[in-house]
Amino acid sequence: MRESFLKRLFSKVECGICGQRYDMSNIKVIDQEDGLWVLSVYCNSCRTQGLIAAVVQDGTIAEVITDFTEDEYDRFTDGEVVGIDDVLDVHNLLKDFEGDIASLFSKN
Ligand SMILES: [Zn+2]
């Protein structure tokens, strides 16, 4: 499938924040494998940057899976999903933690 065709397809996708359609010039293909396309999109209207992962079949977008940012995508594709360091971090956090679970996950 050609990239220009795909961009045209994605220019019909609306921004998840403001509903404006993406401009073709603001759609960038980041990755493609077995019909799974990962595209970076930028909304002119609300200036939101997003990432779209979609399964494209027979010229139609079968599924839009996510709207990660580009940084998040890099992090998830390059790293382990949950590494041993993450487990140790949580272990150490819980070891010294006093209080209930709700306060553990609250921001303050
Ligand atoms: Zn927008």
Side-chain angles (χ1 to χ4, degrees):
M1 189 164 304
R2 293 208 335 272
E3 189 172 323
S4 60
F5 173 77
L6 204 87
K7 283 188 179 183
R8 209 160 60 232
L9 210 61
F10 274 89
S11 67
K12 295 185 171 48
V13 174
E14 293 170 354
C15 169
I17 308 295
C18 71
Q20 185 77 29
R21 288 186 176 178
Y22 294 116
D23 193 290
M24 265 174 68
S25 62
N26 292 327
I27 302 171
K28 190 175 70 179
V29 175
I30 293 178
D31 211 353
Q32 188 264 313
E33 197 180 333
D34 296 334
L36 175 72
W37 289 75
V38 181
L39 299 101
S40 166
V41 291
Y42 176 77
C43 177
N44 263 337
S45 181
C46 69
R47 301 176 192 283
T48 303
Q49 179 129 33
L51 206 70
I52 300 177
V55 178
V56 180
Q57 281 170 338
D58 304 324
T60 59
I61 304 171
E63 198 178 349
V64 175
I65 301 168
T66 185
D67 59 353
F68 282 151
T69 66
E70 210 167 323
D71 288 344
E72 286 169 338
Y73 178 74
D74 286 345
R75 210 167 62 208
F76 285 115
T77 50
D78 293 344
E80 300 168 85
V81 176
V82 178
I84 189 72
D85 288 346
D86 298 320
V87 177
L88 285 173
D89 283 350
V90 173
H91 174 76
N92 289 331
L93 181 72
L94 291 176
K95 196 176 62 179
D96 300 327
F97 185 76
E98 291 173 29
D100 60 26
I101 290 292
S103 61
L104 182 65
F105 289 105
S106 67
K107 289 242 158 100
N108 44 18

